[in-house]
Amino acid sequence: MASKVIQALYNDDDVLMHAVKKVRAEHHHIEEVYTPFPVHGLDKAMGLADTRIAITSFLYGCLGLTVAVVMMNYIMIEDWPQDIGGKPSFSYLENMPAFVPIMFELTVFFAAHLMVITFYLRSRMWPFKKAENPDKRTTDDHFLMEIGLHDNENELADLLWETGAVEVKVTEKES
């Protein structure tokens, strides 16, 4: 289903921030903003909710810690116990101080790798996916704000020109 959107192009991130705040103050819904680099505070200005990726990172770290504990208990205590450096090998708790570095490393490994995979899947960015940016200039030096239209094209275009847009156009967007 295609819907009409209006796209405003800006050439300065400060002008873009001012425009986003003004458009939000006029109670228009900003669909997306495309920028060539991260703009500090843009997510707050757009009214986006905080990300929950930190929660998933914690859960992935817990998973890594669990895998490390189970793996070391099986390998070093049950399957093939070895006397390394005079340490007793018949109890996990007696050997735990030696296992702390492995537990830490696997916690960080699982959290980092699974968090990156989650981010890419959540952002729908996978290998060989065609780029979705509507204007190639947004990868170089321009900023694009995309707003959904609801029979208010002229009013919205005037507002965007007031905010300092260098180009305003109406296009069809596939959803």
Side-chain angles (χ1 to χ4, degrees):
M1 182 172 128
S3 59
K4 278 183 138 183
V5 294
I6 189 165
Q7 298 173 342
L9 204 63
Y10 297 89
N11 57 8
D12 186 15
D13 57 334
D14 292 330
V15 175
L16 172 75
M17 282 293 289
H18 173 70
V20 166
K21 290 175 184 174
K22 191 164 184 174
V23 168
R24 291 260 307 149
E26 295 287 329
H27 304 293
H28 295 289
H29 176 69
I30 300 171
E31 299 284 336
E32 190 66 66
V33 175
Y34 298 90
T35 64
F37 54 84
V39 178
H40 180 70
L42 185 60
D43 53 342
K44 299 289 185 210
M46 288 178 63
L48 298 177
D50 288 337
T51 179
R52 295 184 305 264
I53 200 159
I55 297 168
T56 61
S57 177
F58 175 75
L59 294 175
Y60 294 149
C62 291
L63 176 66
L65 181 64
T66 303
V67 167
V69 168
V70 170
M71 178 188 74
M72 288 181 301
N73 185 52
Y74 177 73
I75 293 171
M76 299 299 288
I77 305 301
E78 294 176 18
D79 185 42
W80 195 323
Q82 298 177 27
D83 186 5
I84 301 172
K87 293 180 184 71
S89 59
F90 51 85
S91 167
Y92 180 82
L93 288 177
E94 291 175 355
N95 286 307
M96 198 166 102
F99 296 156
V100 168
I102 299 167
M103 292 170 11
F104 172 77
E105 291 298 330
L106 279 178
T107 300
V108 172
F109 180 85
F110 271 67
H113 287 80
L114 292 176
M115 188 171 54
V116 168
I117 291 168
T118 300
F119 171 76
Y120 281 135
L121 291 175
R122 181 70 178 97
S123 300
R124 294 188 208 110
M125 295 176 9
W126 35 78
F128 311 111
K129 183 177 185 227
K130 187 177 180 284
E132 292 180 359
N133 56 331
D135 194 322
K136 288 188 179 192
R137 293 176 286 182
T138 60
T139 61
D140 188 23
D141 62 347
H142 281 73
F143 306 85
L144 188 133
M145 180 173 24
E146 196 171 75
I147 305 165
L149 285 176
H150 306 289
D151 298 327
N152 56 351
E153 183 177 329
N154 294 331
E155 168 198 338
L156 199 49
D158 292 340
L159 174 65
L160 294 172
W161 283 115
E162 282 177 27
T163 61
V166 294
E167 185 180 315
V168 175
K169 64 182 177 181
V170 176
T171 60
E172 293 284 330
K173 181 178 181 177
E174 293 292 325
S175 47

